[in-house]
Amino acid sequence: MKILCFIDDLGSGGAQRQLVNLGLGFKSRGHEVSFLVYHQADFFKKELIVANISVYEILEPSYIKRILKIRKFIRKGRYDTVIAFLQGPSFLATLASPPNKKWKLIVGERSADPKILRSPKSQFYRWFHIFADYVVSNSTANINMVKKINPFLSDHRCKVIYNAVTKIEKQNSKALSNPIKIIIGASHRNLKNAMGMLKAFNNLSAVEKNGFSIHWYGDRLDLPHFDSSYLEAKNYVEAKKLENYVNFHPSTTSFSNIMAESDLVGLFSFFEGSPNVICEAMALGKPVLCSKVADLPHMLQDFPEQMFDPSDVDEIVKAFRFYLNLSQDQYDQIANSNFEIAKRWFSSETSVNEYLKLMEE
């Protein structure tokens, strides 16, 4: 089968990671796979080249010309399936479909941002999903929002396939560290809620603060920043004298190894589709400290103390304190429970099989 994976760029984002993992999975099954991007960012490019997967770039600044070039590229590619992730690429892929298409089109919804319910632009894009054969999301919450915007999408065409983790392997049991080491892997954007985390942490007593060591790994520490979030967080850390507790690091391809050495993996986002970092943490058998986003409240219902409302600082404080008072036995129980959930929902083999099944229907 000839498969084109289409996304805006190959930067370090979660959607990029998921599509690259899918592409590698398709390639390992003997399919012919290539990637198409229209912005230059090469975080994952080397990984694809090593796997002998071609990467095509249409770096056209004019939006109209970009539409036309991408449409021409897709229509002449003789693909069996085109998979597009994210709003822009999904829209551009649907524009390549009329008046007829000979390939199967799967568009991917990756973020359960409630703003799409109020944004005319976002709603407009999702009406074009009618040209897709399937709309796939990584959470039930997200797919329900899409169906609310476009009621003409049938249940048969709307699917939920959770984010895949390439390696599900529980780490050997470790003693809970003192201080507890929390690892966060997230880009520096307002939606990732660094300030909510910092304000909650600052509300802890001096003794409680000494119980944690927080390390945030994310890109755009240097200009150009995505928005003002990193500078606000950095300035807050300095103003509140939190430098001994909170550290910012650049994003890294070794993040899985860093997670393996941590006690907790954190996520403080206001919304997510299906957060890669939490899926990967659970696949390592790690307890998490995370927002009640996407389908996590359903998955983690046996130990809901791991979660909080990201807009409620007091709830985040409560979650910090939960781990301060946790016994080793309780820590191990949560770790084992999270690992079992990961085995059930986040297998890379399962994800690849689910997509291939859609392509072959």
Side-chain angles (χ1 to χ4, degrees):
M1 195 181 305
K2 189 176 182 182
I3 303 170
L4 177 67
C5 298
F6 180 29
I7 197 165
D8 53 358
D9 61 46
L10 290 173
S12 61
Q16 284 81 357
R17 186 185 314 175
Q18 284 298 310
L19 192 58
V20 166
N21 287 344
L22 278 175
L24 295 172
F26 299 148
K27 181 73 174 181
S28 70
R29 303 288 184 89
H31 299 286
E32 181 182 347
V33 182
S34 58
F35 271 67
L36 172 64
V37 299
Y38 53 85
H39 291 315
Q40 197 164 31
D42 298 339
F43 190 84
F44 287 111
K45 186 174 181 179
K46 182 178 179 181
E47 194 170 345
L48 294 173
I49 299 302
V50 168
N52 200 28
I53 294 176
S54 298
V55 177
Y56 299 98
E57 298 175 338
I58 297 179
L59 307 178
E60 174 56 61
S62 167
Y63 193 60
I64 299 300
K65 290 181 180 179
R66 184 190 306 162
I67 291 173
L68 296 175
K69 288 182 178 180
I70 289 173
R71 175 182 165 87
K72 182 178 179 181
F73 180 92
I74 292 175
R75 293 191 70 83
K76 289 193 171 183
R78 296 184 178 180
Y79 296 105
D80 297 298
T81 299
V82 176
I83 302 179
F85 271 20
L86 300 179
Q87 176 176 279
S90 293
F91 176 64
L92 293 171
T94 57
L95 290 182
S97 297
N100 65 327
K101 64 179 176 64
K102 298 179 180 179
W103 60 92
K104 188 159 286 185
L105 175 58
I106 301 173
V107 298
E109 289 281 348
R110 313 304 299 175
S111 177
D113 185 350
K115 290 181 181 178
I116 69 171
L117 296 174
R118 304 187 301 271
S119 166
K121 178 180 178 181
S122 296
Q123 294 175 22
F124 172 77
Y125 282 156
R126 281 152 183 86
W127 274 98
F128 278 79
H129 286 351
I130 60 174
F131 292 111
D133 294 280
Y134 293 102
V135 180
V136 175
S137 177
N138 52 11
S139 74
T140 303
N142 193 1
I143 207 71
N144 286 342
M145 285 196 293
V146 173
K147 288 165 69 176
K148 186 174 182 179
I149 292 171
N150 190 341
F152 292 101
L153 294 172
S154 66
D155 290 341
H156 173 72
R157 293 169 61 192
C158 296
K159 306 292 184 181
V160 175
I161 301 176
Y162 289 115
N163 283 1
V165 176
T166 54
K167 188 177 182 181
I168 299 180
E169 184 176 324
K170 191 176 185 301
Q171 302 296 297
N172 293 330
S173 298
K174 69 182 295 294
L176 193 57
S177 305
N178 185 16
I180 297 170
K181 188 174 184 181
I182 302 177
I183 300 299
I184 303 162
S187 58
H188 287 286
R189 306 171 189 259
N190 287 320
L191 69 91
K192 301 298 182 179
N193 195 27
M195 287 305 300
M197 181 273 289
L198 290 172
K199 288 177 180 178
F201 184 77
N202 192 55
N203 283 351
L204 298 175
S205 69
V207 172
E208 289 172 327
K209 287 174 184 167
N210 286 329
F212 293 104
S213 176
I214 300 173
H215 299 265
W216 188 304
Y217 290 81
D219 50 5
R220 300 292 182 93
L221 298 185
D222 300 313
L223 292 172
H225 303 303
F226 285 116
D227 51 38
S228 62
S229 59
Y230 172 65
L231 292 179
E232 289 176 1
K234 182 172 178 289
N235 291 337
Y236 188 89
V237 167
E238 293 173 355
K240 300 298 182 179
K241 296 181 171 53
L242 302 177
E243 296 96 330
N244 291 335
Y245 314 107
V246 181
N247 304 272
F248 294 111
H249 310 274
S251 57
T252 172
T253 55
S254 301
F255 190 71
S256 291
N257 295 330
I258 293 169
M259 279 197 296
E261 298 301 319
S262 71
D263 296 297
L264 306 176
V265 176
L267 177 86
F268 297 84
S269 303
F270 290 112
F271 61 86
E272 292 279 352
S274 181
N276 286 318
V277 68
I278 297 301
C279 298
E280 292 171 4
M282 294 167 68
L284 292 171
K286 293 292 178 182
V288 298
L289 180 70
C290 67
S291 306
K292 296 174 182 175
V293 293
D295 293 352
L296 292 178
H298 170 70
M299 292 180 177
L300 300 177
Q301 58 185 318
D302 287 345
F303 292 98
E305 299 88 351
Q306 297 177 93
M307 297 177 290
F308 50 80
D309 178 348
S311 62
D312 189 330
V313 170
D314 290 338
E315 278 203 19
I316 303 175
V317 171
K318 185 178 179 181
F320 273 121
R321 287 177 173 154
F322 167 73
Y323 280 108
L324 281 176
N325 297 309
L326 203 65
S327 71
Q328 184 66 45
D329 284 345
Q330 291 170 319
Y331 177 83
D332 292 340
Q333 288 173 17
I334 296 173
N336 292 332
S337 176
N338 286 0
F339 180 66
E340 292 302 318
I341 293 168
K343 285 199 300 183
R344 178 181 179 186
W345 294 111
F346 306 144
S347 162
S348 180
E349 182 179 358
T350 298
S351 180
V352 170
N353 285 341
E354 289 295 316
Y355 274 97
L356 289 175
K357 181 179 177 181
L358 296 183
M359 297 178 199
E360 292 165 359
E361 284 186 356

